[in-house]
Amino acid sequence: MARPIRETIPAPDKIPVALIVNGVETQIKVAPWTTLLDALRDHLNLTGTKKGCDHGQCGACTALVDGRRVNSCLTLAVMKDGARVTTIEGLASNGVLHPLQQAFIDHDAFQCGYCTPGQICSAAGLLAEGRAKSANEIRELMSGNICRCGAYPNIVAAIEQAMGKMGGKP
């Protein structure tokens, strides 16, 4: 009995996606399965956003999309067409660090630094949400961001400092 001939199915065309990344309008063409994380890193060369677990469990890939924190490894780029995306590279303004970036330095809120961009972006989203009023609430609302080095007390202190300087607002 002859084996059936297998037809080759062509890969789908790349899809154009328009994003405003760190204040800059950009257009990229990506495969439909490209995550926002891979679009940022591989298509836009913004490597501050890290690929940790690639399953949405560690928070290293956290970026802000339309002001809300998201796990960019779980978000398809094509789903965010037209969105405003802020990465760690876009938080500083005119050469001045964002208050969270400065607070992380002031409180030595990192050791290896791998999780730091995701921690800072998540903290910026946390401050924008305005829900955290205490250290316990900060810990709870930041629980999706893992630091394998264990710098949690310093991270909380840094967020509290930034919250005080910013009046609880980003």
Side-chain angles (χ1 to χ4, degrees):
M1 181 181 246
R3 294 178 81 188
I5 297 175
R6 224 192 234 190
E7 287 186 44
T8 303
I9 300 171
D13 291 334
K14 290 189 174 186
I15 299 170
V17 178
L19 298 168
I20 301 167
V21 181
N22 299 329
V24 177
E25 291 184 31
T26 187
Q27 284 253 343
I28 55 175
K29 285 190 172 192
V30 296
W33 52 82
T34 302
T35 63
L36 180 58
L37 172 62
D38 289 335
L40 293 169
R41 291 181 60 81
D42 300 339
H43 294 269
L44 298 174
N45 202 30
L46 294 169
T47 56
T49 307
K50 303 298 185 208
K51 186 178 280 198
C53 66
D54 216 18
H55 295 288
Q57 298 174 352
C58 73
C61 67
T62 304
L64 299 171
V65 177
D66 294 327
R68 298 179 57 100
R69 48 195 173 149
V70 300
N71 289 331
S72 63
C73 74
L74 296 180
T75 305
L76 295 177
V78 296
M79 294 171 57
K80 298 303 171 188
D81 188 38
R84 286 189 160 301
V85 179
T86 304
T87 67
I88 191 69
E89 293 94 342
L91 287 178
S93 178
N94 298 321
V96 177
L97 293 177
H98 185 280
L100 279 163
Q101 291 170 309
Q102 187 60 55
F104 267 64
I105 293 168
D106 294 347
H107 289 275
D108 197 23
F110 51 87
Q111 285 182 34
C112 79
Y114 196 82
C115 73
T116 305
Q119 295 277 0
I120 291 174
C121 283
S122 187
L126 170 90
L127 294 179
E129 293 164 9
R131 297 187 307 162
K133 307 293 185 218
S134 68
N136 283 338
E137 289 174 339
I138 291 171
R139 279 191 282 279
E140 176 65 27
L141 294 167
M142 289 291 293
S143 65
N145 290 81
I146 295 172
C147 173
R148 290 190 172 137
C149 300
Y152 296 115
N154 301 26
I155 291 169
V156 171
I159 295 170
E160 287 178 313
Q161 174 181 310
M163 190 181 299
K165 285 188 175 180
M166 297 168 34
K169 297 178 183 174

